[in-house]
Amino acid sequence: MKKLVISCLFSLVISFSVIAQNSAAAANKNTALRCLKLAENCLVAGDWQNALSQAELGLSYDNSISDLYYIKAAASLNLGGTKAAALRLLSSAFERSSWAGYTKNGARIFLADLLSDTGLYEESLSVIDSEPFIYSADAEFIRIKNYYRIGTKDSLSQARQRLNSDRRVYPSDQRFSEIFFMFESLFMSEAERDGLKYTIPQIVITIADSYIAKLPDYSDRNQELELMAVSFARGEEKHRLIKAIDAKNKNLSALLAIAALRAGIYTDEQAFDMFFSASGSELSLDLLETFIALLSDEAVIQRAAETLADYTGTLYIDENMDLQYEFTVQYENGRPQYIKYDGNNDGETELYSSCDFGAPIFVYFNTSRIQFFYDTFPRISKVHYSDNNLIFNFLHDDFVFSPFDFMTDTVFARTGAEFYIPYISKEIAIPLPQELIEKASSFELPVTERDDAKIVYTLSGGNIVFAEFYEKNKRYAYCDFTKESSLVRFVDYDNDGSFETTEFYSEIPFAQDGLRSEENDRIISSVFNFIDGRSDLYLRKIQVDRNANTFCEFSEEYLEYNGKVTIWDNDDNGLPDCQYIRYPQKTDESLIEESLYFDSNGLQILSITLADGVPVKMNAEGTEVMVYAGETEGLYWIDQKGTLDEETSVLDFVSRGLEQGKIDLFDYEEQRISVIKVGSSYFCRKVPATVVSLEEGAAE
């Protein structure tokens, strides 16, 4: 019965715990849904900041609600966020697929529109054409936009056929007429720029006539739309529309100048003055090329050449005829000053270049975070990988790389002007670090052995021949790489300008895995930071010679399985004073350590052997003796174990301080006790009082 009661109580505790957790989750979800409602109201009202704040607050309570990601994406985009960021948020919404209020179709339309604007036309069509198929003004507009942007003969035919149908279904939706005239005007202008005769397809004439007939009253109209429509009007209707626009409003000077010049209403000089007077410092390349191509007066063409040669302002370039600008080029005195490129129009700049009178100084790839610095374009002087702070340096002509070319604009060339525009090759491949080694004279990257430290590798034929180490631009080490199987590094550890430490690194011999260890890998990576992850080296030996007299005061050699041999030469006479050996220790083996002490002539006077930290034997002047642990930790007796009172006397004696490795004597009752300090331990031995005097004993 008692066990049953305990079991029931235990079950109740679990049940209450589950109920409490479920209750908390439900409360959080309800709070998130309230935030969603507030966010929806703000979004409808155009209060983007509060819509964003409420969506983020809701997600902090429950991050499973898809609607909150949807609203956050829309609000962020309206606040100036990138399309790339909005796409990531929409991806999160569809991954969760838990819609509380909004229908999934609204998010599909938003996603399809973003995909279209970022160059993913087929993916955009797939989103709205998949089941359930979406048919609405928004969906149709996105379909038409995609078909135009795909740019094939079949896709253009589909775009025009859908427009011919949708103009009847959505007669009041101005988006359809706008996209029609924008794309079709672009095709006409392209032919003019190329000097070709353009024949307007019959289906385009039919659609254009329908839209022109329904142009709104001039008192309330879209003048830019009308100006684009003018190009498709015929005869007197074209002249009437242009003159009406000209009389009412000349603010749209660039489009009006082109339309009037094309129709023969303006002279070249009149159109030229209108085009450049109000266009300011920002122009579309398509628009500028179209205007220049229409000029026929030689005097005006000469003015155009002079204007282009001195042009200072921003030029926007649509490289793929999708009605979006991939290039932004700032010109100064007719030469590029900087270039920005966003190939997929997602709001995240892919490439940025700064120029000196048209010649690039550097090019930065944002997505891969790589900078190319130029000596004389296209000759590279330096390449910087920002993520790992890796820098390659090049001698003149050793590395030529151009992610884009400057092409002479063929339309402007007809005026006699040499005006250059950038062109990016789609085949360009950003080189990997391993490829640059073959061409670089040196490369540098950070190391972790010191704060703010770096290593500079000197290369010859793609091979490392030398390395220098810097801490805040002060050299503290250098290394020779010319020997095939070993490296020698000289280090100034105390920063006094003298490279007192010599480190020897060697290749790990085949099948000697005992030389590999986590500590060795850490040392190699922190010191050398090889970009290819090289791990076939180990630190074999170090030597310290502080006074540069060729005698090492300290040396340490590293063996397999964490073994090592350490030697001290305290009197700097070239002979060892102390030696420590840690024997290689394989798995399940005892750790064997040995400490040896030598006299001034280098002869061994004492050695102590430990097994797993416990002394097991001692060799004094060639005689091996047993060692016994005392009652006090760290105190040991040689030959014969002492009493507790004797240990108390020893502790009192050593409290005054003992020199490491030196034997001391003191009197105790009818005998004497010798003591030697080894590490943190003391080794004692009882000797007859009549053997030697204290002074003589201490000397021995």
Side-chain angles (χ1 to χ4, degrees):
M1 176 62 72
K2 187 175 182 180
K3 290 183 179 179
L4 178 60
V5 171
I6 292 174
S7 177
C8 291
L9 287 173
F10 186 65
S11 299
L12 284 172
V13 169
I14 294 176
S15 299
F16 282 128
S17 176
V18 172
I19 291 170
Q21 290 176 4
N22 292 339
S23 178
N28 286 339
K29 190 174 187 66
N30 288 334
T31 303
L33 291 173
R34 285 195 294 271
C35 291
L36 172 60
K37 186 62 178 177
L38 292 171
E40 290 173 356
N41 294 336
C42 293
L43 196 68
V44 171
D47 186 356
W48 315 120
Q49 186 57 60
N50 279 324
L52 176 63
S53 299
Q54 288 298 327
E56 289 178 335
L57 182 59
L59 287 170
S60 69
Y61 282 98
D62 190 335
N63 63 2
S64 68
I65 301 175
S66 298
D67 312 57
L68 291 170
Y69 292 97
Y70 175 24
I71 292 178
K72 183 178 178 179
S76 298
L77 195 61
N78 280 284
L79 287 170
T82 65
K83 293 174 184 175
L87 281 169
R88 288 191 287 269
L89 287 167
L90 283 175
S91 177
S92 296
F94 282 97
E95 282 175 5
R96 284 153 180 79
S97 194
S98 175
W99 302 90
Y102 276 90
T103 63
K104 191 176 180 180
N105 285 351
R108 286 171 62 192
I109 289 172
F110 186 20
L111 176 60
D113 198 36
L114 288 175
L115 290 171
S116 177
D117 285 350
T118 54
L120 301 173
Y121 313 132
E122 299 291 349
E123 290 88 336
S124 174
L125 288 170
S126 177
V127 167
I128 51 178
D129 288 349
S130 60
E131 293 296 331
F133 182 84
I134 302 176
Y135 186 82
S136 67
D138 291 332
E140 282 296 282
F141 176 73
I142 294 169
R143 287 188 180 95
I144 292 168
K145 186 163 56 172
N146 281 320
Y147 289 135
Y148 266 126
R149 285 173 170 173
I150 289 171
T152 64
K153 183 178 179 180
D154 288 342
S155 70
L156 289 178
S157 177
Q158 289 189 67
R160 289 162 178 164
Q161 288 172 11
R162 281 193 173 273
L163 272 166
N164 198 28
S165 173
D166 290 335
R167 67 183 173 85
R168 300 181 180 89
V169 180
Y170 308 107
S172 301
D173 195 327
Q174 196 167 277
R175 291 179 299 171
F176 293 95
S177 56
E178 283 179 350
I179 198 168
F180 167 75
F181 284 122
M182 288 176 75
F183 271 110
E184 298 299 340
S185 296
L186 191 62
F187 302 150
M188 181 183 294
S189 297
E190 183 186 29
E192 289 174 334
R193 294 194 298 271
D194 293 339
L196 303 174
K197 181 177 176 57
Y198 181 70
T199 302
I200 303 175
Q202 183 57 51
I203 190 172
V204 174
I205 293 174
T206 301
I207 299 170
D209 287 346
S210 172
Y211 282 136
I212 290 171
K214 296 178 182 178
L215 286 175
D217 185 82
Y218 290 138
S219 61
D220 181 22
R221 69 187 190 277
N222 183 330
Q223 294 168 338
E224 187 173 357
L225 174 62
E226 289 187 18
L227 280 171
M228 288 187 291
V230 163
S231 299
F232 298 89
R234 286 165 288 171
E236 289 300 319
E237 180 69 12
K238 175 181 289 191
H239 285 233
R240 184 186 67 79
L241 286 172
I242 293 174
K243 288 179 179 178
I245 296 168
D246 185 24
K248 296 282 184 179
N249 194 332
K250 294 187 178 182
N251 290 335
L252 298 169
S253 55
L255 282 174
L256 181 57
I258 289 173
L261 186 60
R262 185 182 280 147
I265 296 174
Y266 286 179
T267 65
D268 283 14
E269 188 171 2
Q270 289 173 322
F272 187 92
D273 291 338
M274 175 173 284
F275 186 89
F276 285 103
S277 62
S279 58
S281 60
E282 295 187 349
L283 280 170
S284 157
L285 177 63
D286 290 337
L287 211 60
L288 183 58
E289 285 182 334
T290 299
F291 178 74
I292 297 294
L294 291 170
L295 296 175
S296 57
D297 187 314
E298 291 298 329
V300 178
I301 290 174
Q302 180 60 34
R303 283 183 65 190
E306 294 169 356
T307 300
L308 291 170
D310 295 332
Y311 180 68
T312 296
T314 305
L315 204 60
Y316 299 100
I317 302 175
D318 178 3
E319 67 168 355
N320 56 5
M321 297 178 67
D322 65 347
L323 302 182
Q324 299 181 108
Y325 299 121
E326 289 75 35
F327 273 110
T328 301
V329 187
Q330 178 68 36
Y331 285 85
E332 185 173 0
N333 297 324
R335 292 292 186 270
Q337 188 178 26
Y338 73 76
I339 300 166
K340 289 170 63 178
Y341 179 70
D342 180 5
N344 61 359
N345 288 290
D346 65 355
E348 295 183 351
T349 300
E350 295 172 26
L351 178 150
Y352 176 86
S353 177
S354 179
C355 305
D356 180 17
F357 199 63
I361 301 171
F362 74 84
V363 175
Y364 178 64
F365 288 89
N366 185 45
T367 50
S368 49
R369 294 175 55 78
I370 302 175
Q371 282 180 286
F372 292 83
F373 295 86
Y374 290 93
D375 179 6
T376 303
F377 186 80
R379 298 170 182 85
I380 297 291
S381 62
K382 182 169 68 174
V383 177
H384 183 196
Y385 292 78
S386 301
D387 283 341
N388 55 8
N389 213 17
L390 170 61
I391 298 174
F392 285 91
N393 300 299
F394 301 87
L395 300 177
H396 192 67
D397 285 336
D398 279 357
F399 181 40
V400 174
F401 176 74
S402 174
F404 54 83
D405 293 319
F406 283 105
M407 314 289 290
T408 302
D409 189 288
T410 55
V411 176
F412 299 157
R414 299 171 198 164
T415 69
E418 291 186 355
F419 194 88
Y420 297 94
I421 56 173
Y423 169 77
I424 286 187
S425 171
K426 300 302 181 185
E427 306 302 320
I428 194 69
I430 298 176
L432 298 172
Q434 289 76 5
E435 300 174 67
L436 297 181
I437 287 179
E438 297 295 327
K439 303 176 185 293
S441 61
S442 67
F443 69 92
E444 56 189 79
L445 67 168
V447 291
T448 58
E449 68 169 337
R450 293 192 181 190
D451 293 335
D452 198 18
K454 68 177 180 180
I455 182 172
V456 180
Y457 288 105
T458 301
L459 299 166
S460 177
N463 297 314
I464 299 173
V465 295
F466 196 73
E468 294 180 288
F469 301 77
Y470 294 88
E471 180 182 21
K472 297 180 180 178
N473 297 320
K474 180 180 179 181
R475 191 174 77 152
Y476 68 86
Y478 60 92
C479 183
D480 181 12
F481 277 77
T482 56
K483 294 184 179 180
E484 292 186 1
S485 60
S486 63
L487 305 176
V488 181
R489 190 173 85 128
F490 303 92
V491 190
D492 177 15
Y493 275 106
D494 54 11
N495 297 316
D496 65 350
S498 174
F499 297 88
E500 78 289 338
T501 303
T502 306
E503 299 174 345
F504 301 87
Y505 297 85
S506 296
E507 290 184 0
I508 298 175
F510 178 74
Q512 290 195 23
D513 291 336
L515 292 171
R516 300 181 185 275
S517 67
E518 291 184 5
E519 176 62 14
N520 182 73
D521 290 345
R522 185 196 64 78
I523 291 172
I524 298 301
S525 63
S526 68
V527 171
F528 294 106
N529 192 12
F530 292 114
I531 61 176
D532 58 358
R534 181 178 175 184
S535 60
D536 60 345
L537 291 179
Y538 79 103
L539 177 59
R540 179 172 59 83
K541 187 177 182 179
I542 61 173
Q543 294 177 338
V544 179
D545 180 9
R546 298 192 180 279
N547 55 12
N549 66 347
T550 72
F551 294 147
C552 297
E553 298 88 28
F554 175 87
S555 71
E556 193 162 75
E557 186 171 0
Y558 301 96
L559 312 174
E560 285 189 291
Y561 302 107
N562 292 319
K564 68 178 180 179
V565 177
T566 309
I567 299 175
W568 292 268
D569 180 8
N570 298 321
D571 54 11
D572 200 23
N573 65 351
L575 298 173
D577 295 320
C578 303
Q579 182 176 359
Y580 167 76
I581 303 173
R582 184 173 68 193
Y583 290 92
Q585 180 189 19
K586 294 184 179 180
T587 305
D588 298 329
E589 289 184 346
S590 296
L591 173 61
I592 305 299
E593 301 169 278
E594 188 174 11
S595 298
L596 302 95
Y597 297 88
F598 305 87
D599 63 16
S600 59
N601 296 317
L603 298 175
Q604 179 180 322
I605 58 175
L606 182 70
S607 71
I608 301 172
T609 304
L610 293 84
D612 293 329
V614 178
V616 292
K617 66 179 179 180
M618 177 179 286
N619 190 309
E621 298 179 344
T623 302
E624 187 174 298
V625 294
M626 297 301 295
V627 178
Y628 303 93
E631 299 299 325
T632 305
E633 184 178 354
L635 193 147
Y636 302 90
W637 292 94
I638 300 169
D639 264 349
Q640 180 183 358
K641 187 175 181 179
T643 65
L644 192 57
D645 289 341
E646 289 171 334
E647 287 190 15
T648 302
S649 298
V650 170
L651 293 175
D652 180 63
F653 177 72
V654 302
S655 65
R656 304 167 196 172
L658 288 184
E659 185 179 339
Q660 188 78 226
K662 183 179 179 181
I663 298 175
D664 281 296
L665 292 169
F666 72 95
D667 286 322
Y668 180 79
E669 296 181 354
E670 300 296 327
Q671 61 183 359
R672 287 176 180 163
I673 298 177
S674 66
V675 184
I676 183 172
K677 182 180 180 182
V678 180
S680 60
S681 301
Y682 296 94
F683 294 84
C684 311
R685 188 175 189 178
K686 292 186 280 188
V687 297
T690 57
V691 173
V692 291
S693 66
L694 286 174
E695 291 77 11
E696 292 173 328
E700 292 182 6

